[in-house]
Amino acid sequence: MAQFESVQTRKSLLTGDEAVAHAVRQSNVDLVAAYPITPQTIIVERIADFAASGAFTGQFVPVESEHSAMSACIGGALAGARAFTATASQGLALMHEMLYAASGLRLPISMAIANRALNSPLNIHNDHTDVMGSIDSGWIQLFAENAEEAYDRVIQSFRIAEAVNLPVAVNLDGFTLTHSTEPVEMLSDEAVRGFVGRPPKRDSLMDEAPKSFGLMSLPDSYQFFKEDQSRATTGSGVTISQVEGEYAKLSGRDHGPLKIFGSGSKVMMVMLGSYAGTARTTARQMKNGGEQVGVISLGWLRPFPERQFLDALEGVETLMIMDRSVSYGAPAGPLASDVMSLLYRYGIKRKVIAVTYGLGGRGFLEEDAMKLFRYAEKSGPSFESFFFYGGE
Amino acid sequence: MNKYNYKHKMPRPERWLMLYEIRIHGRGGQGAVSAGRLLGEAASGAGFYVQSFPEFGAERSGAPVTAYARLADEPIETRSPVNRPDFILIIDPYLAVNAKSVMGLKEEGMVISNSDRSPESVRNSLGVKAAQKVASVNATKIAVEAIGRNNPNTPILGAWAAVSRVIPVSLIIEAVKKSFPGNMGEANAEAVRRGAAEVIAN
């Protein structure tokens, strides 16, 4: 595979994986503990290359499993290190137990998830089954639409995690982002180093006075820890916005909690991840033809950007919510369930069509987006409100 | 959902001032994916917004591989594979007899194929229409002579730049040199030059 390690130049052609590796190289990271898995592999390979060449000056620990990767990051973070790992699919499933430890200990750890389907049947391709299985593990969950956004969000993740004492995951779609080559305008090493700084001092295993972490909590206190953690996650949006705003001053790029195209359109397709671009390309063409369709692309899923999402519903009649994972036996897919409970909580009524699509790498073309938009536009009082869409 | 058969004709107003969509066919190991990336790198030097990606999961040595590239004058957001290419680049000569290789080619599109045969012969075996253009170049021979191994991707890129005139050949050479440092860069640059010089269009 051709190499474009244009570390010196500012505008580079990079895959999503390479963009993430560069973000880590630039962000004063002390510890990377990771185990390679498709389609995240290139992130780990590049960081290993950077470690070998001296471009990455932190510790690179090639661990024997993802469970160990997260455990090592937890140990490192408890010792005051800025820690990063990357994984996907089965790897995320294997580290599941430790995800809760990281968030419960309120540790600022960053992770990239190269979203991929889960066994069985075996499938290496993209969907959101992996992250949705861990969505309630107490991590902040951000989503990138393209390689540049993945790069930006990984850099921001360190600042966010350290400000709110919560771990942050940046999701990028396997293959569609990890293995596609796109222009990425990297910031200079100095600019990124200045932006991320050094992690603020916190209680640490390295402190002179001995301390214990992760002790047992009985029924008299456990719920209070969890309530506190829940408040911190819900309230973290303010900090995320501040960090994004500061980063925007540096880069001119502000991704925000969600991107709206065709504000106030009758039909809005709610998307997570890279296929938002396909939906938007289609919506733009249909709008030019006089159709009232738009796209809401979520950049944050945890915390759910409640206020910003509700603000985007002005003039909207139908929400078509697109899920790339299944919650078996549930009333709808996980993203649709989130949106519906939000609407109900605030007493807001909209027609909702929950669609499950794109599982295990199943394609989503402009033609598919258009077919779905047309369905949402034309469906009358009786409509199928929850279905699998599999293309032609 | 499939029971709702709405007629969906895609409205296509002149959104893009300029959009070139390219599909590359090769076999795992010949550099089809790298070709897409090199093409993107070169076109990026000409000021295009670019995107390139392989057909995912097919990259096994010897297996047919497809790669895609888009060049446009505005950021590219769609993730759809290229189904209606302006240019089709065939890196493996044995794929140049398979009509599947040219599926979806635009009415005035162009095929650039690795072949020791004439463009007319390639046209006939692929069933390419009269309004569409065909160019052929013996990229395997050039690669073996210039690089010393069968990587016919770089001569095909040279041939494409020469006959399509979308970007200058010099940008392909620049991208190749950046990608392969030292002697390999020089050898591949020579392969690009020869591909551009020896291609025959019809």
Side-chain angles (χ1 to χ4, degrees), chain B residues 178-190:
Chain B
K178 193 173 162 192
S179 167
F180 310 98
N183 287 342
M184 275 310 275
E186 286 304 324
N188 274 285
E190 177 58 18

Side-chain angles (χ1 to χ4, degrees), chain A residues 86 106 145 149 156 195 257 311 342:
Chain A
R106 303 292 304 269
E145 259 192 39
E149 185 172 345
Q156 293 164 10
F195 178 78
D311 284 350
L342 179 73

Side-chain angles (χ1 to χ4, degrees), chain A residues 18 181-182 278 280 366 391, chain B residues 2 37 52 77-80:
Chain A
E18 290 166 337
T181 310
E182 307 182 326
T278 306
R280 206 156 38 229
E366 289 168 47
Chain B
N2 290 334
R37 212 173 158 156
S52 87
E77 289 197 312
T78 184
R79 302 281 165 192
S80 291

Side-chain angles (χ1 to χ4, degrees), chain A residues 77-97:
Chain A
L78 280 172
R82 179 176 282 164
F84 174 87
T85 189
T87 191
S89 182
Q90 310 298 133
L92 185 67
L94 184 55
M95 67 167 67
H96 188 71
E97 179 187 4

Side-chain angles (χ1 to χ4, degrees), chain A residues 269-320:
Chain A
M269 198 177 268
V270 182
M271 306 287 293
L272 207 51
S274 61
Y275 285 147
T278 306
R280 206 156 38 229
T281 303
T282 311
R284 189 176 292 129
Q285 291 166 47
M286 293 174 76
K287 258 185 119 59
N288 288 348
E291 291 177 73
Q292 288 241 10
V293 293
V295 178
I296 299 174
S297 164
L298 284 162
W300 312 350
L301 189 60
R302 293 289 181 274
F304 197 95
E306 300 186 5
R307 185 178 53 76
Q308 296 92 334
F309 190 88
L310 294 174
D311 284 350
L313 300 186
E314 187 74 37
V316 176
E317 289 172 10
T318 304
L319 288 170
M320 182 168 246

Side-chain angles (χ1 to χ4, degrees), chain A residues 6 19 68 126 130 137 146 155 162 166 227 236 248 255 265 344:
Chain A
S6 340
S68 304
N126 166 242
D130 54 3
S137 62
N146 53 50
I155 292 170
E162 287 155 13
L166 286 169
E227 200 179 332
S236 64
H255 300 292
S265 297
Y344 194 85

Side-chain angles (χ1 to χ4, degrees), chain A residues 59-75:
Chain A
Q59 286 278 325
F60 175 71
V61 187
V63 286
E64 80 284 8
S65 80
E66 289 85 356
H67 189 282
S68 304
M70 188 44 63
S71 301
C73 285
I74 289 171

Side-chain angles (χ1 to χ4, degrees), chain A residues 2 4 13 18 125 145-146 175 177 179-183 277-278 280-281 284-285 365-366 370 384 389 391, chain B residues 1-4 6 8 10-11 13 15 34 37 40-41 50-54 56 77-81 179:
Chain A
F4 295 100
L13 274 193
E18 290 166 337
H125 294 275
E145 259 192 39
N146 53 50
F175 294 105
L177 292 190
H179 287 60
S180 291
T181 310
E182 307 182 326
T278 306
R280 206 156 38 229
T281 303
R284 189 176 292 129
Q285 291 166 47
L365 311 178
E366 289 168 47
M370 194 179 57
E384 233 181 312
Y389 176 78
Chain B
M1 177 63 207
N2 290 334
K3 65 188 165 186
Y4 301 94
Y6 292 112
H8 44 281
M10 180 76 86
R15 182 166 62 80
S34 299
R37 212 173 158 156
E41 179 80 5
V50 301
Q51 177 194 55
S52 87
F53 56 101
F56 305 123
E77 289 197 312
T78 184
R79 302 281 165 192
S80 291
S179 167

